[in-house]
Amino acid sequence: MNFKTIALLTCFAIFTSDVTAAFRAGIAVRNVTPDPLLAVSGGVGPSKAATRKAGELTVRALVFEQDGTRVTIVSGDFLGFPAALGNRVRAAATNVPAQNILIGATHTHSAPDCYGFPDGKGGTASDPKYLELVCARMVEAINEAVTNLQPARIKIATGEAKGKIAYNYYAEQLYDPRCHVIQVLAESGKAIATLVNYAIHPEVIGSSAGICGPDLIGPLCDRIAAQNGGTGIFMNSAQGGMVTADNRRADGEGRNWEECQRIGELLADEALRIVQPAAEQASPKLFCAARRISFPVESPFMLELLKQSAGATGFADGKLTTQMNLVNIGDAQILTIPGEALPNIGYYLKRKMRGKQNLLFGLTNDAFGYILTKEDFDSFKRYAYITRTSLGERTGEILVNEALKFVSESPKPEAIAGP
């Protein structure tokens, strides 16, 4: 073999290695608004009839790929998305490793029931055919996002979202105002996608208004697109007990689409403001790991609910088991939470995580109700509801211990991929 051939092969190997290791991203969206409309769920108990829609329900899939690792973040406009459905999606979306598919719910209170909550009459408002459609469209979105993969770089930032967006209904100031943003840019510099991670109950309208829709998340995503931020995607955070949309007005609460637009657009503008000055990460290292986490079900109410709910899965020997993910992307670390953790748990986990930016994806891979510390459990009268709809006193402690173990056993995030 002569020198020219060796040189050519060496250059080809280096080029191939660079292509293989290059960071790529793609995103896709599917509409899942039911036609005809279905009843909408605001939590445990009977769903409420919907007579009209405001905005469209969607499922959104954002795919990252780097050096043989492929990760998908899926967001659906639902109260929660149970593992029973998520596992159907993972089984069908064969172009991404099942354990690398993170499926979260925005937590809108104006969408059909995915859990099969009992209606008090021996049945449920959950519609199997509709849920089959949702799973199919989720898979379509994942597949299209993979097809749309292109060379990309990212910007990641954290900052306080200012303005009248959220507050804690139980204690006004006890919430995390920080907004975490991951923006994906094409080689041209044009934004492909903007992911917003923020703790809030999208419950401006609520389930009793007869309206089906994404609540404030729809306007948030629309505003991101209109402001050249690419396709928007929202992942909730530690919004339990009871971080909600600040729709308070002098004459009462604003429960209409206009208030959804005001809050959603303001949050979008704040997210874009926060990420705008962030430095670009041209070759972010991508890492994803998954492990099983189990919680004992000690609450009599939740035990009975599990027996009656059509969507329950992973329940055996008095425990619920689901998937927890840890993702490093660039200098950020992401950890999933299968429920609604209270803000103090969120603050603590973010403080102990190992990224320059630390994100918590709440209501992801499942939604096991409220997650409290043992000190908060069954304490203040204000906490009566979230105690009743928690799995039990040990849920918060188990989550924190398992999460910190996961973090300690995983590599630290790297802003730049290695050679």
Side-chain angles (χ1 to χ4, degrees), residues 49-318:
T51 58
R52 61 190 178 93
K53 67 177 183 177
E56 303 288 350
L57 301 179
T58 64
V59 292
R60 298 164 184 258
L62 175 60
V63 177
F64 297 128
E65 182 181 77
Q66 188 267 330
D67 199 17
T69 297
R70 185 176 287 176
V71 179
T72 301
I73 297 168
V74 181
S75 174
D77 286 316
F78 300 103
L79 185 76
F81 201 76
L85 300 179
N87 290 340
R88 285 193 218 172
V89 174
R90 293 184 179 97
T94 55
N95 50 15
V96 180
Q99 71 274 15
N100 288 8
I101 300 177
L102 290 61
I103 304 177
T106 64
H107 205 48
T108 176
H109 286 52
S110 305
D113 173 19
C114 294
Y115 277 85
F117 292 135
D119 61 7
K121 302 176 183 178
T124 176
S126 184
D127 186 311
K129 289 185 177 179
Y130 172 69
L131 296 180
E132 185 177 338
L133 171 72
V134 169
C135 290
R137 292 195 176 164
M138 223 174 245
V139 173
E140 288 176 13
I142 294 171
N143 290 340
E144 184 181 328
V146 170
T147 300
N148 292 342
L149 282 168
Q150 59 180 294
R153 50 189 186 270
I154 59 172
K155 295 167 68 175
I156 308 176
T158 298
E160 182 174 336
K162 300 183 183 299
K164 194 176 170 62
I165 299 174
Y167 77 110
N168 191 320
Y169 180 77
Y170 289 167
E172 185 173 337
Q173 296 299 320
L174 298 187
Y175 75 104
D176 187 350
R178 291 173 295 179
C179 179
H180 308 276
V181 189
I182 301 176
Q183 189 168 75
V184 185
L185 305 175
E187 287 187 316
S188 64
K190 181 180 179 181
I192 298 170
T194 299
L195 183 151
V196 178
N197 176 225
Y198 184 76
I200 192 170
H201 272 71
E203 195 181 358
V204 174
I205 292 176
S207 60
S208 300
I211 296 173
C212 176
D215 206 88
L216 66 92
I217 306 305
L220 177 144
C221 292
D222 291 344
R223 180 72 165 190
I224 287 172
Q227 295 296 102
N228 300 316
T231 301
I233 180 169
F234 177 80
M235 299 299 287
N236 222 313
S237 190
Q239 39 60 269
M242 183 70 68
V243 183
T244 192
D246 193 351
N247 60 341
R248 297 171 295 174
R249 301 190 309 198
D251 60 348
E253 293 181 332
R255 291 195 170 275
N256 51 48
W257 182 242
E258 290 72 26
E259 189 67 0
C260 290
Q261 291 175 312
R262 182 194 68 77
I263 298 174
E265 290 174 4
L266 177 55
L267 180 55
D269 288 344
E270 285 298 285
L272 294 173
R273 175 188 64 80
I274 289 165
V275 80
Q276 191 277 327
E280 292 184 7
Q281 299 180 42
S283 302
K285 181 72 175 177
L286 183 65
F287 169 84
C288 182
R291 60 177 54 180
R292 308 299 288 173
I293 182 170
S294 296
F295 301 95
V297 184
E298 301 165 323
S299 161
F301 176 81
M302 295 297 277
L303 277 169
E304 187 60 31
L305 186 65
L306 282 168
K307 292 176 184 177
Q308 297 182 40
S309 296
T313 191
F315 181 56
D317 301 323

Side-chain angles (χ1 to χ4, degrees), residues 231-407:
T231 301
I233 180 169
F234 177 80
M235 299 299 287
N236 222 313
S237 190
Q239 39 60 269
M242 183 70 68
V243 183
T244 192
D246 193 351
N247 60 341
R248 297 171 295 174
R249 301 190 309 198
D251 60 348
E253 293 181 332
R255 291 195 170 275
N256 51 48
W257 182 242
E258 290 72 26
E259 189 67 0
C260 290
Q261 291 175 312
R262 182 194 68 77
I263 298 174
E265 290 174 4
L266 177 55
L267 180 55
D269 288 344
E270 285 298 285
L272 294 173
R273 175 188 64 80
I274 289 165
V275 80
Q276 191 277 327
E280 292 184 7
Q281 299 180 42
S283 302
K285 181 72 175 177
L286 183 65
F287 169 84
C288 182
R291 60 177 54 180
R292 308 299 288 173
I293 182 170
S294 296
F295 301 95
V297 184
E298 301 165 323
S299 161
F301 176 81
M302 295 297 277
L303 277 169
E304 187 60 31
L305 186 65
L306 282 168
K307 292 176 184 177
Q308 297 182 40
S309 296
T313 191
F315 181 56
D317 301 323
K319 295 182 178 181
L320 271 170
T321 302
T322 192
Q323 174 174 307
M324 174 185 277
N325 281 95
L326 184 146
V327 176
N328 292 339
I329 177 169
D331 63 10
Q333 188 164 78
I334 300 167
L335 195 66
T336 64
I337 298 175
E340 302 179 63
L342 267 65
N344 52 347
I345 293 177
Y347 267 113
Y348 182 75
L349 287 176
K350 288 180 186 179
R351 194 165 73 245
K352 296 297 183 179
M353 290 165 68
R354 303 172 76 192
K356 182 178 178 182
Q357 323 280 344
N358 294 314
L359 291 70
L360 295 175
F361 286 177
L363 297 148
T364 298
N365 296 333
D366 219 320
F368 291 161
Y370 290 97
I371 301 175
L372 303 79
T373 66
K374 60 186 179 182
E375 291 82 7
D376 287 333
F377 186 88
D378 200 19
S379 56
F380 308 112
K381 288 183 179 180
R382 271 291 193 186
Y383 284 178
Y385 171 74
I386 61 175
T387 292
R388 185 168 64 98
T389 51
S390 167
L391 296 182
E393 180 176 312
R394 291 181 286 167
T395 308
E397 185 176 10
I398 291 169
L399 173 72
V400 169
N401 289 342
E402 290 298 313
L404 295 185
K405 183 180 178 184
F406 202 177
V407 167

